[in-house]
Amino acid sequence: MRIDEDKWAACDREFTEYLATHQDTPDRWMILQALLTSPTWKALFGMVNLEERWHILDAGCGYGALALALAGQMSLEITAVDENVRYLQVGEYIAGSLENKGYFAGGSKVSFEAGDIYALPPGEANYDFAIVRFVYQHLSDPHRATASLAEVVRQGGYCMVIDIDDQMSITYPEPSDAYSKLHEAFTALQEANGGDRYVGRKLSSYLSQGGFDIQMTLILPQAQHVTTERNDSSRLFTLERLRAAREDILEAGLMSQQDFDTCMEIITLEQPGEQFQSNAQVVVLARKP
Ligand SMILES: C[S@@+](CC[C@H](N)C(=O)[O-])C[C@H]1O[C@@H](n2cnc3c(N)ncnc32)[C@H](O)[C@@H]1O
């Protein structure tokens, strides 16, 4: 896909403006995550061949950041599905705003639909390409999700799954004790909910066992120099994501309220030092035979 840089930037700008003007957006970290990792998706889709007018499924789309970025690039019919209706409503709002600016590539359409990745509507078994980004790490039954995807992708169609593997993260200098404690509780919470922050290495097996032929596996690296600015986007993302998990971490008894709040205060107030951070996502492209 030939990337139109201006269009890609226009989509990121729309999400950035939305965040700035809607302070009460739930799980703001998800939009920050999409923005922070946007350059990696731009690079990835520069290497992927999508065809005009393909019917694309974005499963577990969240706010639809990826679906909307792609719909600006070429004529695609994208169905963006998520179980959380609040995210879909925001996605629809942003899509409307982009539409008013004449953003979409000729004929492109993004429809937001409520749905469960474990039970994708079988009537729509005609997707040319399914994308599942940062969703498998939250799933307690990845095999069932893969079977569900295999039902709705057409024969000869593709499924691209992208996710993290925490063992591929490096931070220098090491994060503070307060941050490490919070991150440990956050990881334990995700595991307690059936998730897996080491899912990246398992994706190709899940897809292969689900009947797909693996076409490509790659690592999408990202490195950043975190600055001393308080509003550094990587730092904001970390704080927002931990804040959003507070109630669940406390409820699961993974940290006491006092401990959590003290650690948050420390990392919020600590003089942010410069830091090198790198992480990587695993990308698996598979074809339904
Ligand atoms: C970290 S977000 C990723 C959002 C989006 N794919 C992106 O990359 O920006 C994970 C998303 O998966 C969705 N999700 C989790 N389990 C799901 C399920 N069983 N069915 C549909 N969506 C699900 C969540 O609601 C959330 O929007």
Side-chain angles (χ1 to χ4, degrees), residues 183-226:
H183 186 70
E184 219 169 274
F186 181 82
T187 302
L189 176 69
Q190 203 163 332
E191 273 170 17
N193 289 336
D196 180 357
R197 295 191 62 81
Y198 300 93
V199 75
R201 69 193 69 182
K202 303 170 192 166
L203 297 175
S204 57
S205 307
Y206 291 151
L207 285 160
S208 172
Q209 287 161 20
F212 285 96
D213 289 338
I214 307 300
Q215 302 286 297
M216 176 179 88
T217 48
L218 63 86
I219 299 290
L220 205 53
Q222 181 158 0
Q224 56 247 352
H225 181 74
V226 181

Side-chain angles (χ1 to χ4, degrees), residues 4-284:
D4 179 333
E5 300 273 345
D6 292 343
K7 279 283 185 73
W8 200 281
C11 186
D12 281 358
R13 212 164 36 244
E14 201 64 38
F15 275 95
T16 305
E17 277 167 23
Y18 184 86
L19 267 188
T21 49
H22 295 78
Q23 292 299 328
D24 58 346
T25 308
D27 296 325
R28 294 166 58 85
W29 63 267
M30 269 172 44
I31 296 182
L32 289 167
Q33 179 183 55
L35 289 169
L36 197 62
T37 52
S38 176
T40 59
W41 313 121
K42 197 167 59 174
L44 174 66
F45 280 96
M47 297 189 286
V48 172
N49 283 326
L50 300 182
E51 290 182 21
E52 293 279 336
R53 286 178 288 286
W54 261 7
H55 194 181
I56 311 266
L57 169 70
D58 182 358
C61 65
Y63 290 104
L66 187 54
L68 292 171
L70 294 177
Q73 296 293 320
M74 61 191 282
S75 179
L76 297 168
E77 188 184 337
I78 307 185
T79 304
V81 173
D82 202 281
E83 63 178 5
N84 189 321
V85 177
R86 288 187 307 167
Y87 301 156
L88 300 175
Q89 286 164 346
V90 173
E92 268 170 356
Y93 175 90
I94 294 174
S97 177
L98 286 167
E99 172 97 68
N100 291 338
K101 294 175 181 162
Y103 161 84
F104 289 103
S108 262
K109 200 175 122 216
V110 179
S111 329
F112 288 90
E113 284 181 20
D116 185 351
I117 199 167
Y118 294 122
L120 293 162
E124 301 206 13
N126 61 347
Y127 290 105
D128 299 293
F129 197 98
I131 301 167
V132 197
R133 183 177 79 167
F134 294 154
V135 180
Y136 269 62
Q137 62 174 291
H138 297 290
L139 299 177
S140 57
D141 193 345
H143 290 292
R144 193 151 65 93
T146 311
S148 171
L149 286 160
E151 293 244 323
V152 298
V153 170
R154 71 162 163 83
Q155 247 184 334
Y158 297 88
C159 184
M160 178 182 267
V161 182
I162 303 162
D163 226 308
I164 54 155
D165 192 311
D166 262 359
Q167 211 170 3
M168 289 193 282
S169 297
I170 299 172
T171 303
Y172 176 84
E174 291 284 320
S176 63
D177 286 349
Y179 173 79
S180 300
K181 236 169 153 175
L182 289 163
H183 186 70
E184 219 169 274
F186 181 82
T187 302
L189 176 69
Q190 203 163 332
E191 273 170 17
N193 289 336
D196 180 357
R197 295 191 62 81
Y198 300 93
V199 75
R201 69 193 69 182
K202 303 170 192 166
L203 297 175
S204 57
S205 307
Y206 291 151
L207 285 160
S208 172
Q209 287 161 20
F212 285 96
D213 289 338
I214 307 300
Q215 302 286 297
M216 176 179 88
T217 48
L218 63 86
I219 299 290
L220 205 53
Q222 181 158 0
Q224 56 247 352
H225 181 74
V226 181
T227 70
T228 53
E229 299 294 318
R230 283 217 172 271
N231 62 355
D232 178 272
S233 55
S234 174
R235 181 180 152 78
L236 286 181
F237 160 65
T238 301
L239 292 174
E240 295 264 3
R241 192 176 58 164
L242 289 169
R243 255 181 225 128
R246 179 179 183 275
E247 296 315 312
D248 291 339
I249 285 176
L250 301 186
E251 207 173 297
L254 294 165
M255 281 178 93
S256 72
Q257 181 176 331
Q258 196 190 357
D259 212 10
F260 184 93
D261 292 342
T262 306
C263 288
M264 279 305 284
E265 201 180 329
I266 292 171
I267 68 166
T268 306
L269 295 179
E270 75 192 350
Q271 185 59 37
E274 298 200 3
Q275 202 174 45
F276 167 84
Q277 285 179 357
S278 74
N279 50 53
Q281 281 92 50
V282 177
V283 181
V284 181

